[in-house]
Amino acid sequence: MTETSFRSGFVALVGRPSVGKSTLLNACVGEKVAITSPVAQTTRRRMRAVVNTPSSQLVIVDTPGLHKPKDALGKELNRAALGELADVDCVAFLVDATKPVGTGDAWVAKHVDASRASYKLLVITKADLAGQEQVLSQLEAARALARFDDELVVSATEGFNVGAFVDLVSSHLPEGPRWFPEDMAVDATDEELVAEFVREKVLLNCRQEVPHSVGVICDEMTWPRDDHASIRCTVLVERESQKAIVIGKGGSMIKRIGSQARKDIEHLFNDCSVYLDLEVRVQPLWRRDANEIRRLGYDAGE
């Protein structure tokens, strides 16, 4: 292999909420770097994950699910997702195998079709949850939405065709340098990852009551010893009733959230010991406040 044969570039994962973008990203990286949950709009921060092969470096950009926005936060999430389409080498359009292709998918596909990306891949996700006829029907319906260079059926949870996804996209990247160090898995800071792991546990434990009203920020992280981290986070909600749900009777819910989040954080920090302090604070209508959205890191940026 010559130096000029090395390929590198960026691929954006786009699609409706909850189609499996973050799950596919984690499967490609081989470890958990993006949070997942059954709740729509789980992904709020643009995340870049780096996948290295002997002949390529693939930078996968996980984007918020495209949806009809109801507030300033929703508009920022859409702006972040659509902004990626203008600045990547490849676009992977994800469609859920278990849900009928609808107007929302068609709206996303219109933007994919207009993208200047040199390679566009149709990906049918969650194949493990659908029968063969259902998958074939989804493929046929999705093909009609835009012009695609290739198509692939995957199951990220089962590992089906995840390697094929990496190989296929990598083969269509332009020749270029290694943009990120080989030991770098994601471009997020430790504080950003900690906040996301905490928010994931809130979503998983309080799904019906408060998911879209929750934001999390890591206020402080210190290392009193090399093998011990002390972390303080604020969980933001919009109403007192939501605060009561997140805290739970006698603090039972916030203890459960903290315990679950701490396991992910300790794994993130190579199994060191973590002390995690969570405070729940009410900030009315924070999702309509551009300054709060920016402070939490959910804005699209420039």
Side-chain angles (χ1 to χ4, degrees):
M1 184 183 72
T2 64
E3 184 67 27
T4 56
S5 66
F6 190 86
R7 294 181 179 275
S8 62
F10 296 77
V11 55
L13 306 182
V14 298
R16 297 286 292 155
S18 302
V19 296
K21 297 181 293 294
S22 297
T23 305
L24 179 58
L25 179 143
N26 287 337
C28 291
V29 176
E31 63 178 299
K32 181 176 180 176
V33 292
I35 68 171
T36 62
S37 88
V39 178
Q41 297 181 38
T42 295
T43 300
R44 287 180 177 170
R45 301 176 187 269
R46 180 194 67 186
M47 179 170 289
R48 291 176 175 172
V50 183
V51 179
N52 291 290
T53 76
S55 60
S56 68
Q57 184 177 78
L58 172 62
V59 183
I60 304 176
V61 186
D62 185 18
T63 64
L66 288 160
H67 63 288
K68 185 176 181 179
K70 297 180 180 179
D71 48 40
L73 174 60
K75 291 177 182 177
E76 276 302 295
L77 298 183
N78 271 4
R79 193 162 76 90
L82 292 174
E84 292 301 329
L85 294 178
D87 198 30
V88 292
D89 303 289
C90 305
V91 174
F93 174 49
L94 275 59
V95 174
D96 188 335
T98 68
K99 296 179 180 178
V101 173
T103 55
D105 296 292
W107 183 76
V108 179
K110 180 182 70 173
H111 291 282
V112 172
D113 215 24
S115 168
R116 295 193 299 268
S118 59
Y119 179 68
K120 299 171 185 179
L121 175 65
L122 169 63
V123 180
I124 304 297
T125 64
K126 306 182 186 181
D128 56 305
L129 303 178
Q132 185 177 5
E133 289 188 6
Q134 190 176 10
V135 169
L136 292 174
S137 175
Q138 292 294 84
L139 275 170
E140 184 177 359
R143 284 174 189 143
L145 300 180
R147 294 162 294 180
F148 299 102
D149 299 294
D150 274 313
E151 57 193 38
L152 191 66
V153 177
V154 306
S155 168
T157 56
E158 299 293 326
F160 174 66
N161 269 346
V162 172
F165 173 83
V166 172
D167 292 342
L168 187 58
V169 174
S170 295
S171 69
H172 288 86
L173 295 176
E175 293 183 356
R178 197 179 294 276
W179 295 105
F180 295 96
E182 287 191 70
D183 60 352
M184 179 177 176
V186 64
D187 70 346
T189 66
D190 288 343
E191 289 81 1
E192 288 170 344
L193 291 173
V194 164
E196 287 294 89
F197 286 156
V198 172
R199 187 167 66 87
E200 177 189 55
K201 305 314 176 188
V202 177
L203 297 182
L204 292 173
N205 286 283
C206 309
R207 280 188 294 179
Q208 302 303 318
E209 294 89 350
V210 294
H212 302 304
S213 301
V214 170
V216 179
I217 189 166
C218 180
D219 301 299
E220 185 179 19
M221 183 185 301
T222 58
W223 296 84
R225 299 192 306 273
D226 288 342
D227 60 347
H228 183 87
S230 180
I231 300 170
R232 183 169 56 85
C233 293
T234 298
V235 179
L236 217 60
V237 294
E238 293 188 318
R239 298 192 297 272
E240 289 291 342
S241 60
Q242 295 168 344
K243 178 179 179 179
I245 291 169
V246 174
I247 292 176
K249 186 176 181 180
S252 58
M253 179 60 76
I254 197 66
K255 289 178 183 175
R256 184 192 308 170
I257 290 167
S259 177
Q260 293 176 1
R262 188 167 57 249
K263 292 179 182 178
D264 280 346
I265 296 167
E266 288 177 342
H267 180 70
L268 173 70
F269 295 149
N270 299 316
D271 298 321
C272 79
S273 178
V274 169
Y275 169 74
L276 179 62
D277 178 32
L278 301 180
E279 177 189 358
V280 185
R281 181 164 61 85
V282 177
Q283 181 73 29
L285 301 177
W286 71 262
R287 288 177 295 167
R288 300 178 184 273
D289 187 332
N291 290 328
E292 281 297 321
I293 293 170
R294 190 177 304 111
R295 187 174 74 91
L296 288 160
Y298 302 152
D299 60 311
E302 297 301 327

